């Protein structure tokens, strides 16, 4: 371990020697912990990080004055759509996706570095239960979707296959996530195929460019954003692991979408058949001011423009068909080839520009007292996973139906949007639709038939509670054998055991 003298010299070069101002007061244990945290920080990189944070924060907020003139929607030939394509086209995409999965060429990569702070919990979001009848967590739902897509691909191609699950965590989430998976026997996945790795942490910085101490013996650190993925892939030799396994295509997604389809065969197949090196799932924006980034082009280059960077006038522009001109909402659901990720980690990552997040950061004052600020006092710099779109040689977007594939979990109840309640409702409404499409009918407590769902799809609780395990159906397929012609009273929980009861005997 580096000595106090060595670390002090390095901090002086970085202009951050104040981080040792309580050194004389610390016991041996806290001293060792502080040195261990400071030693990996390269002086030049730390100085540049703090300088860039302060400079970026000083820039005026809002859209760039000339952005509107540089902005264009994606060309139609770069966009595929589930809702606007015929059944045969969708079948071809799906078949190609299943073929690649069966050949063991597909992996999924989960971005799980964030805590559930906005949900009011101190543990990782993936461990959260939204109140489903089954009590399943987000992690369990995702694990079961992996198992089901492996099963479907294997059955179609007459083979056994594996979809490795890579999980990027942070200092805050690695320990709890690893323990949670062990406690639940990795949800019956092979632990060798679940690879957890940790993203880097960066110091939070004051508005005048000084790294913040959150305790006398600890720097205020934060994950480097989901765009920290690219450094983490290199730090932990993840791409080398993928190469050893024969993985060529990687589906990257964010932990908080309860409807996410892991290794989605249609998405994988669409991207592979288009020869894409990089792709993004999108949903049609619900309204002009919806707070989601827009997948579009700036100066002819694909990228995501944050909603705060687009003027209201631009956001409200209409296309010739009457829809929003900039309607491709980003949902943090991406396709990459392994080759593209190798190119990014080796050549392009240093070109990524960090984004500013102004936050309330607890700190110790000059007397060593802990202060919990009432207003933002610090800067956290982070990179975004989609910042690499600009480097793609063949970028595509894939539009999916929001009600089938996107319901994020970000806010605590009783928030009206993106809450445990809305996530639960979205999943149960989806399963109710699937059951009706498979020929099931539901009865109320008086034995009367409950209604079909209206169009547009349901908001709020469905007429009957129906939860279908991902182990029974990945995307609504195969339910007729259990549900067609059957009548049920709410709630119906269709798990593996219930499916065996409902399955008719072989003749």
């Amino acid at each position: 371990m580096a000595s106090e003298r060595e670390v002090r010299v390095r901090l002086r070069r970085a202009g951050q020697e104040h981080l040792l101002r309580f050194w004389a007061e610390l016991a041996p244990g806290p001293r060792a912990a502080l040195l261990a945290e400071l030693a990996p920080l390269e002086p030049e990189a730390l100085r540049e990080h703090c300088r860039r944070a302060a400079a970026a924060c000083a820039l005026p907020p809002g859209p760039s004055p000339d952005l509107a003139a540089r902005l264009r929607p994606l060309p139609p030939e770069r966009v595929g759509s589930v809702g606007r394509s015929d059944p045969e086209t969708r079948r071809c995409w799906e078949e190609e996706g299943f073929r690649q999965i069966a050949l063991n060429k597909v992996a999924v990569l989960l971005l799980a570095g964030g805590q559930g702070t906005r949900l009011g919990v101190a543990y990782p979001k993936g461990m959260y239960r939204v109140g489903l009848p089954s009590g399943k967590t987000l992690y369990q739902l995702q694990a079961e979707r992996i198992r089901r897509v492996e099963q479907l691909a294997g059955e179609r191609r007459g083979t056994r296959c594996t979809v490795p699950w890579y999980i990027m965590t942070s200092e805050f989430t690695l320990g709890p996530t690893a323990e949670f998976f062990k406690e639940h026997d990795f949800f019956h996945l092979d632990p060798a195929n679940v690879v957890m790795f940790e993203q880097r942490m960066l110091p939070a910085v004051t508005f005048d460019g000084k790294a913040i101490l959150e305790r006398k013996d600890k720097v205020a650190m934060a994950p480097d954003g989901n765009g920290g993925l690219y450094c983490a892939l290199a730090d932990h030799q993840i791409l080398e692991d993928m190469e050893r396994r024969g993985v060529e295509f990687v589906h990257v997604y964010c932990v908080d979408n309860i409807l996410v389809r892991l290794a989605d065969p249609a998405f994988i197949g669409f991207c592979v058949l288009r020869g894409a090196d990089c792709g993004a799932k999108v949903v049609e924006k619900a309204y002009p001011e919806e707070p989601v980034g827009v997948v579009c082009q700036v100066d002819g280059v694909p990228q995501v423009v944050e909603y705060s960077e687009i003027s209201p006038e631009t956001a409200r522009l209409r296309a010739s068909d009457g829809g929003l001109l900039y309607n491709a909402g980003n949902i943090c659901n991406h396709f990459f080839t392994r080759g593209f990720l190798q190119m990014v980690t080796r050549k392009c990552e240093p070109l990524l520009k960090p984004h500013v997040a102004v936050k309330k950061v607890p700190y110790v004052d000059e007397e060593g007292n802990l202060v919990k600020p009432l207003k933002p006092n610090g800067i956290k710099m982070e990179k975004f996973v989609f910042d690499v779109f600009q480097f793609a040689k063949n970028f595509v977007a894939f539009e999916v139906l929001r009600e089938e594939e996107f319901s994020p979990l970000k806010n605590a109840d009783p928030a009206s949007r993106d809450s445990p309640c809305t996530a639960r409702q979205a999943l149960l409404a989806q399963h109710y639709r699937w059951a009706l499409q498979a020929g099931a009918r539901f009865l109320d407590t008086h034995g009367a038939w409950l209604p079909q769902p209206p169009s547009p799809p349901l908001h709020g609780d469905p007429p009957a509670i129906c939860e279908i395990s991902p182990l029974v159906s990945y995307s609504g397929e195969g339910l007729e054998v259990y549900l067609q012609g059957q009548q049920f009273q709410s709630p119906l929980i269709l798990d593996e055991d219930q499916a065996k009861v409902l399955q008719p005997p072989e003749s």
Side-chain angles (χ1 to χ4, degrees):
M1 181 187 295
S3 68
E4 179 259 339
R5 175 184 171 84
E6 291 170 326
V7 169
R8 191 176 291 277
V9 169
R10 291 156 63 91
L11 290 176
R12 188 177 299 125
R13 284 167 55 194
Q16 304 293 325
E17 195 177 359
H18 67 284
L19 295 175
L20 289 176
R21 68 184 185 272
F22 297 108
W23 181 261
E25 303 177 28
L26 299 179
R31 283 185 173 186
L34 181 58
L35 286 182
E37 187 171 56
L38 293 173
L41 300 176
E42 292 291 335
E44 289 74 20
L46 178 59
R47 183 177 64 245
E48 181 63 11
H49 167 71
C50 294
R51 185 198 67 78
R52 291 177 71 177
C57 187
L59 293 174
S64 169
D66 64 339
L67 180 63
R70 300 160 56 208
L71 209 60
R72 295 291 183 275
L74 289 175
E77 62 270 18
R78 288 195 177 209
V79 182
S81 172
V82 169
R84 297 182 178 93
S85 299
D86 59 82
E88 179 59 21
T89 299
R90 295 196 298 269
R91 187 195 65 78
C92 288
W93 293 338
E94 195 172 82
E95 281 300 316
E96 178 63 20
F98 276 125
R99 187 176 78 87
Q100 299 296 341
I101 293 168
L103 291 170
N104 296 303
K105 290 188 176 183
V106 177
V108 292
L109 196 156
L110 166 59
L111 304 172
Q115 294 172 289
T117 309
R118 285 169 62 184
L119 293 170
V121 297
Y123 50 80
K125 274 188 181 181
M127 295 164 54
Y128 196 87
R129 292 177 170 86
V130 301
L132 295 173
S134 65
K136 291 178 180 178
T137 62
L138 296 181
Y139 281 149
Q140 182 171 354
L141 291 169
Q142 292 168 22
E144 291 180 354
R145 286 175 189 146
I146 291 176
R147 291 171 59 192
R148 177 63 176 170
V149 82
E150 289 175 339
Q151 178 190 359
L152 290 171
E155 289 174 350
R156 287 182 181 228
R157 310 296 297 190
T159 186
R160 290 176 62 87
C161 58
T162 298
V163 176
W165 195 6
Y166 296 89
I167 303 176
M168 187 179 78
T169 63
S170 68
E171 175 184 295
F172 303 128
T173 63
L174 177 58
T177 296
E179 186 62 30
F180 190 74
F181 272 69
K182 290 176 184 175
E183 288 174 359
H184 292 85
D185 194 26
F186 286 79
F187 305 104
H188 303 289
L189 292 167
D190 183 345
N193 297 323
V194 180
V195 180
M196 299 184 193
F197 61 103
E198 193 171 342
Q199 68 185 111
R200 295 180 183 180
M201 304 287 284
L202 294 173
V205 181
T206 62
F207 297 143
D208 58 354
K210 296 294 183 182
I212 297 173
L213 275 179
E214 69 175 42
R215 295 197 311 259
K216 293 180 181 181
D217 62 344
K218 183 167 177 54
V219 181
M221 304 286 279
D224 55 356
N226 57 29
L229 169 67
Y230 308 108
C231 283
L233 290 175
D235 290 345
H236 301 281
Q237 294 81 50
I238 297 301
L239 295 176
E240 290 81 355
D241 184 83
M242 290 181 180
E243 186 173 15
R244 285 192 296 271
R245 296 172 185 264
V247 169
E248 297 293 339
F249 310 111
V250 187
H251 179 205
V252 177
Y253 70 99
C254 194
V255 68
D256 60 8
N257 178 11
I258 198 170
L259 300 182
V260 63
R261 296 184 180 179
L262 289 83
D264 177 15
F267 184 38
I268 301 294
F270 168 76
C271 292
V272 171
L273 290 172
R274 289 290 186 95
D277 54 357
C278 177
K281 272 193 182 184
V282 299
V283 296
E284 187 174 352
K285 286 186 66 174
Y287 52 93
E289 298 81 16
E290 184 181 12
V292 295
V294 172
V295 181
C296 58
Q297 290 185 329
V298 179
D299 298 326
V301 176
Q303 68 180 67
V304 175
V305 177
E306 287 296 285
Y307 64 92
S308 58
E309 298 173 340
I310 298 178
S311 70
E313 295 77 19
T314 301
R316 289 194 289 265
L317 291 174
R318 296 283 171 175
S320 57
D321 63 0
L324 292 175
L325 184 63
Y326 298 104
N327 71 342
N330 176 52
I331 61 172
C332 195
N333 193 314
H334 309 310
F335 167 95
F336 302 112
T337 63
R338 181 171 53 81
F340 176 78
L341 292 174
Q342 287 174 327
M343 182 266 292
V344 167
T345 58
R346 293 171 182 172
K347 299 179 181 179
C348 303
E349 198 286 331
L351 303 176
L352 299 179
K353 295 180 180 179
H355 303 259
V356 171
V358 180
K359 303 282 187 177
K360 291 182 284 188
V361 182
Y363 66 98
V364 288
D365 63 19
E366 292 304 315
E367 287 71 44
N369 301 309
L370 176 63
V371 179
K372 293 186 177 181
L374 299 178
K375 60 181 182 179
N377 65 310
I379 307 159
K380 294 182 179 180
M381 298 290 280
E382 54 189 16
K383 296 177 180 178
F384 296 155
V385 67
F386 53 71
D387 287 337
V388 300
F389 290 179
Q390 61 184 304
F391 307 123
K393 293 180 179 177
N394 187 12
F395 176 84
V396 296
F398 190 64
E399 185 184 81
V400 296
L401 301 176
R402 181 188 295 256
E403 64 270 20
E404 291 294 333
E405 298 203 37
F406 184 55
S407 182
L409 177 61
K410 298 185 181 298
N411 307 310
D413 285 328
S416 60
R417 292 174 47 85
D418 304 342
S419 68
C421 180
T422 60
R424 180 180 65 253
Q425 289 172 341
L427 187 69
L428 295 179
Q430 178 190 65
H431 291 183
Y432 182 66
R433 292 193 302 273
W434 288 358
L436 293 178
Q437 289 161 8
R441 297 304 301 265
F442 289 87
L443 307 175
D444 64 18
T445 54
H446 304 291
W449 283 358
L450 289 170
Q452 300 275 348
S455 184
L458 293 165
H459 295 283
D461 291 320
I465 300 300
C466 173
E467 183 183 353
I468 299 170
S469 168
L471 297 172
V472 175
S473 185
Y474 175 84
S475 58
E477 81 291 334
L479 294 174
E480 291 82 3
V481 69
Y482 312 116
L483 303 181
Q484 193 163 42
Q486 301 267 22
Q487 296 182 0
F488 302 96
Q489 283 192 320
S490 176
L492 168 64
I493 303 177
L494 187 58
D495 57 18
E496 286 183 295
D497 292 336
Q498 178 69 0
K500 290 174 184 175
V501 172
L502 292 173
Q503 187 168 11
E506 295 185 7
S507 55

